[in-house]
Amino acid sequence: MNLNELLHKDELNRDDIIYLLNLTGEEDLQQLYNRADEVRSQFCGDEVHLRGIIEISNFCEQNCVYCGLRNDNDSLPRYRMTPEEVIETARTITNLGIFTIVLQSGEDAHFDSDIISYIIYQIKQKSNAAITLSLGERPFDEYRAWKIAGADRYLLKHETANPVLYESYHLKQKLSERLDHLKFLKSIGYQIGSGNLIGLPMQTIEDLADDILLCKELDLDMAAFGPFIPSPKTPYQHKTTGTSELTLKVTAVARLVLKKVHIPATTALDTIDPIGRERGLTAGANVVMPDLTPFPYRSQYQIYPDKRGSQSDPLDSAAQIKKRIEDLGRKISYKRGDSLKQDAQPSV
Ligand code: SAH
Ligand code: SF4
């Protein structure tokens, strides 16, 4: 089977995926990206969906070895936004015509059932924006309370599908538990997002193929693939950065495998590659997640260093992202951009 036939195969198996992830020639890679772009257009259309992120707290009880927010990092000044600041920022986001609001933080028990439910309820009183939570692994009764308060989606990356690597990155946590959280979230009606980190120490191409297959098995509504970027004051501070090329290959192959799923062109990709968003959006991605966290917090949410846009005014940064999308000839969606899967919203 030649490359063109492989790229048009309906169901790619693990060996096919590994073969595609190992492609290196410029022309072959371009053919892969072009096919992913075509499949994206066919299953998701040409509009790009925006998700406005508010990073509500950088406190974290976890110690993921790759992350700058890990609990052991004493050198990071910590902050929590007040509920009023979060609600006000959400209003700024909907005023921009962005109708998905992502509330993200470290695993911070201070933001409990009541506070998050209050924030969700207040945002929902003023707009019909979709609310995505990305607050880490939390007790199941909190997920349920937030769903009842009006949350629509939950983003919790599996990070790696290799259980041995997962435990070496997370020390106290297990991959099987993370998967149980994702399955529970789905069972109570959340649209779920997951995904991996690319270029982590010890990770192989086979592991990345398994990441893509796990995303398929989880029947995700959104799948995010971002490069690992070494963060100061973490055990992995001197490790090698994941590459833009490998991130694009994973994105493109994931589009061929997952088809009807939202895939973002990540900020991490745009941080390591000056045209990362453009390259992601033309290799299978259909979503961009602008960071609208206000100053001074946005520069303190240092999961990894020098995040693109973290030193710029949030509105300027969002305007620049919109322009870059339009310069590519793509339209921006002013709708919520819900799951592309029809059966995605069972009741609580
Ligand atoms: N605490 C929540 C949400 C914030 S972390 C959670 O862990 O789900 C959001 C994402 O940042 C993580 O899923 C991880 O994939 C990513 N991340 C963490 N450290 C990173 C690094 N050094 N480089 C790139 N992405 C990183
Ligand atoms: Fe905390 Fe999330 Fe970073 Fe892990 S990845 S240390 S849970 S913020």
Side-chain angles (χ1 to χ4, degrees):
M1 196 183 287
N2 67 27
L3 179 59
N4 190 45
E5 283 164 349
L6 182 61
L7 292 172
H8 284 79
K9 205 175 146 186
D10 212 27
E11 293 263 322
L12 294 171
N13 62 35
R14 189 169 184 268
D15 287 342
D16 298 332
I17 294 173
I18 292 170
Y19 177 84
L20 292 173
L21 292 177
N22 276 316
L23 286 178
T24 49
E26 241 349 279
E27 272 180 34
D28 286 356
L29 288 176
Q30 201 49 55
Q31 212 177 327
L32 167 66
Y33 302 152
N34 289 350
R35 176 65 187 146
D37 197 43
E38 204 170 88
V39 173
R40 184 270 308 151
S41 175
Q42 186 184 344
F43 286 92
C44 315
D46 292 328
E47 290 193 324
V48 174
H49 300 284
L50 299 182
R51 323 302 198 185
I53 302 192
I54 315 176
E55 295 152 339
I56 63 175
S57 159
N58 70 354
F59 281 86
C60 188
E61 289 153 25
Q62 290 299 342
N63 251 321
C64 308
V65 290
Y66 42 75
C67 177
L69 302 195
R70 67 200 304 272
N71 194 270
D72 286 356
N73 182 3
D74 301 328
S75 60
L76 184 70
R78 305 281 174 165
Y79 71 84
R80 288 187 180 107
M81 291 176 68
T82 65
E84 283 63 37
E85 286 174 319
V86 178
I87 294 158
E88 189 51 40
T89 308
R91 198 206 295 265
T92 307
I93 294 174
T94 51
N95 284 344
L96 290 173
I98 299 177
F99 293 107
T100 291
I101 289 158
V102 184
L103 304 180
Q104 193 179 82
S105 68
E107 273 185 40
D108 181 6
H110 168 88
F111 279 101
D112 59 10
S113 288
D114 291 347
I115 303 181
I116 294 293
S117 296
Y118 170 76
I119 292 171
I120 294 168
Y121 182 78
Q122 289 296 330
I123 295 173
K124 290 278 180 173
Q125 288 295 96
K126 296 180 187 96
S127 80
N128 71 343
I131 295 187
T132 301
L133 301 177
S134 175
L135 309 175
E137 275 182 28
R138 304 293 299 252
F140 283 19
D141 55 350
E142 291 193 339
Y143 296 142
R144 198 189 297 277
W146 298 333
K147 186 77 189 63
I148 291 166
D152 300 275
R153 310 182 189 142
Y154 207 98
L155 172 58
L156 183 66
K157 297 217 276 180
H158 70 266
E159 316 292 2
T160 175
N162 178 330
V164 177
L165 290 187
Y166 189 94
E167 282 185 46
S168 68
Y169 303 142
H170 300 100
L171 315 173
K172 282 188 309 193
Q173 294 174 300
K174 286 199 168 5
L175 177 63
S176 58
E177 287 163 6
R178 179 140 304 197
L179 301 183
D180 285 345
H181 281 250
L182 283 161
K183 286 171 194 162
F184 178 76
L185 287 159
K186 191 175 179 65
S187 77
I188 62 168
Y190 280 91
Q191 297 169 38
I192 53 167
S194 196
N196 71 350
L197 278 168
I198 294 161
L200 282 164
M202 302 173 285
Q203 189 184 46
T204 63
I205 289 290
E206 286 73 18
D207 293 328
L208 295 171
D210 290 336
D211 283 334
I212 295 173
L213 289 168
L214 178 58
C215 290
K216 184 175 178 189
E217 189 185 319
L218 290 168
D219 193 21
L220 302 177
D221 303 294
M222 186 184 98
F225 308 99
F228 157 68
I229 303 174
S231 204
K233 313 284 182 191
T234 67
Y236 282 177
Q237 60 184 328
H238 300 304
K239 302 290 182 190
T240 310
T241 307
T243 66
S244 163
E245 183 177 284
L246 191 54
T247 307
L248 289 166
K249 283 198 274 187
V250 172
T251 303
V253 178
R255 171 58 71 202
L256 301 186
V257 173
L258 305 174
K259 299 185 176 75
K260 227 172 177 178
V261 71
H262 291 300
I263 300 182
T266 59
T267 302
L269 174 61
D270 208 36
T271 299
I272 62 164
D273 183 330
I275 52 164
R277 296 253 198 236
E278 287 82 353
R279 297 182 81 191
L281 285 171
T282 50
N286 70 321
V287 166
V288 171
M289 304 174 74
D291 177 6
L292 272 304
T293 309
F295 279 120
Y297 312 123
R298 61 192 285 109
S299 52
Q300 292 166 11
Y301 195 79
Q302 287 172 17
I303 285 179
Y304 53 81
D306 305 320
K307 186 163 53 165
R308 184 103 176 239
S310 62
Q311 304 298 331
S312 324
D313 177 84
L315 293 180
D316 290 348
S317 172
Q320 203 194 28
I321 289 174
K322 280 187 176 177
K323 182 171 181 313
R324 288 173 64 189
I325 295 169
E326 284 165 350
D327 286 349
L328 270 184
R330 297 276 279 280
K331 281 209 186 75
I332 291 171
S333 160
Y334 290 97
K335 299 191 215 82
R336 286 164 42 120
D338 276 305
S339 174
L340 298 156
K341 298 180 176 173
Q342 260 137 39
D343 56 351
Q345 306 200 50
S347 56
V348 176

